[in-house]
Amino acid sequence: MILCANFKANKTRQETRAYMAVVESFVAANEIEDTVMVFPPFTALEHLSRNVLIGVQNAYPAQNGAYTGEITLEQLDEFGIKTILIGHSERRHVLGETQEQIAAKFRFFAENGFVIIYCVGEPIEVRELGDKALMQYVDAQFEGIDCNYTDLIIAYEPVWAIGTGLTPTTDQIVTMHSALRAKTSAPLLYGGSVKVDNAQSIMELDNVDGVLVGSASLGANDFCEMIALAAELKQV
Ligand code: PGA
């Protein structure tokens, strides 16, 4: 399984350090073999990780340059960062990134050998239009994206499930993940209101290879509990 904690714009550098200390010792003490990734804010980046991968939530697709307010490859290299989230719903819908910009970002970070967690997912009004519209919408989010990229991980995150406490039904997750499986052999994560209470039942679904967790990952102990649930699944 792959377990990702997306802090978004939460936590200071100090808080991130304390969090990493808890998660890293949990992973070591329990000999966790699953992949654990944490996406802290830029200000908390440092060479902190040992057995937990650190990634960024975003970056600008350039080596360096005149991109006020952005960070680029040069700054990521300084921290040894080789993992990035691209296409997250908040980048698309709150920050207004277009599919064209997202695809350019994807190409750049793929050329630079990053592990890319590529996020797709529909707003509620699209889901309400039915399965055909839903699949068309998600298909369009793959425009310009190389589904055969070696270091690709896909995260399906319905916009209406992110930060709302709502989750799709089991059938809805399974249907979407099997459609995604037909497109790519990349690992498939589910994201959107994953928490300790529902993590295991989501992770045991067909074609779910892990979870991308936002709010419920902010407590280090909660995130560790989800890691333990994933490890339990493997023993079944
Ligand atoms: P959430 O966020 O777990 O708070 O719903 C998930 C995400 O945005 O990746």
Side-chain angles (χ1 to χ4, degrees):
M1 285 284 154
I2 301 170
L3 295 103
C4 303
N6 175 12
F7 288 1
K8 312 191 178 185
N10 294 295
K11 292 198 188 293
T12 62
R13 192 179 189 79
Q14 279 310 111
E15 287 167 344
T16 302
R17 267 187 202 151
Y19 183 100
M20 292 306 294
V22 173
V23 175
E24 295 204 313
S25 45
F26 181 85
V27 168
N30 294 282
E31 294 172 13
I32 298 295
E33 286 167 8
D34 300 279
T35 304
V36 179
M37 300 185 188
V38 174
F39 297 83
F42 292 138
T43 53
L45 292 181
E46 47 189 336
H47 280 287
L48 357 103
S49 69
R50 288 172 292 142
N51 49 17
V52 172
L53 260 166
I54 297 289
V56 280
Q57 302 167 20
N58 179 46
Y60 193 82
Q63 178 65 34
N64 53 30
Y67 307 106
T68 301
E70 297 288 327
I71 79 166
T72 60
L73 192 60
E74 189 170 275
Q75 289 82 42
L76 301 184
D77 281 348
E78 186 178 17
F79 295 100
I81 302 291
K82 276 291 188 191
T83 307
I84 186 168
L85 289 180
I86 295 181
H88 189 276
S89 134
E90 284 142 22
R91 302 292 319 169
R92 294 178 189 268
H93 301 288
V94 182
L95 284 313
E97 275 184 23
T98 64
Q99 186 60 31
E100 224 176 36
Q101 290 170 322
I102 289 167
K105 209 172 267 195
F106 187 99
R107 274 193 304 278
F108 179 85
F109 287 101
E111 276 161 16
N112 284 284
F114 274 60
V115 173
I116 298 176
I117 292 87
Y118 184 67
C119 309
V120 296
E122 81 290 354
I124 192 65
E125 57 278 14
V126 171
R127 176 156 289 271
E128 283 166 352
L129 291 173
D131 286 352
K132 192 161 169 241
L134 169 63
M135 288 321 301
Q136 274 172 354
Y137 185 92
V138 173
D139 276 344
Q141 294 182 317
F142 282 95
E143 260 165 43
I145 303 303
D146 176 7
C147 286
N148 298 317
Y149 176 57
T150 339
D151 287 312
L152 176 63
I153 297 171
I154 305 282
Y156 169 56
E157 300 201 295
V159 180
W160 50 275
I162 297 179
T164 57
L166 301 171
T167 45
T169 62
T170 298
D171 278 359
Q172 287 171 332
I173 299 177
V174 169
T175 304
M176 180 57 77
H177 278 237
S178 70
L180 293 171
R181 175 56 69 235
K183 259 183 192 310
T184 175
S185 55
L188 303 175
L189 313 183
Y190 168 78
S193 294
V194 174
K195 46 183 185 277
V196 173
D197 290 352
N198 62 14
Q200 198 169 37
S201 57
I202 291 172
M203 287 188 285
E204 62 194 6
L205 297 175
D206 280 353
N207 291 317
V208 174
D209 304 304
V211 285
L212 173 51
V213 192
S215 15
S217 72
L218 292 175
N221 292 329
D222 285 348
F223 191 49
C224 289
E225 244 182 274
M226 290 184 246
I227 298 169
L229 291 170
E232 241 173 54
L233 271 181
K234 209 181 307 162
Q235 286 156 13
V236 176

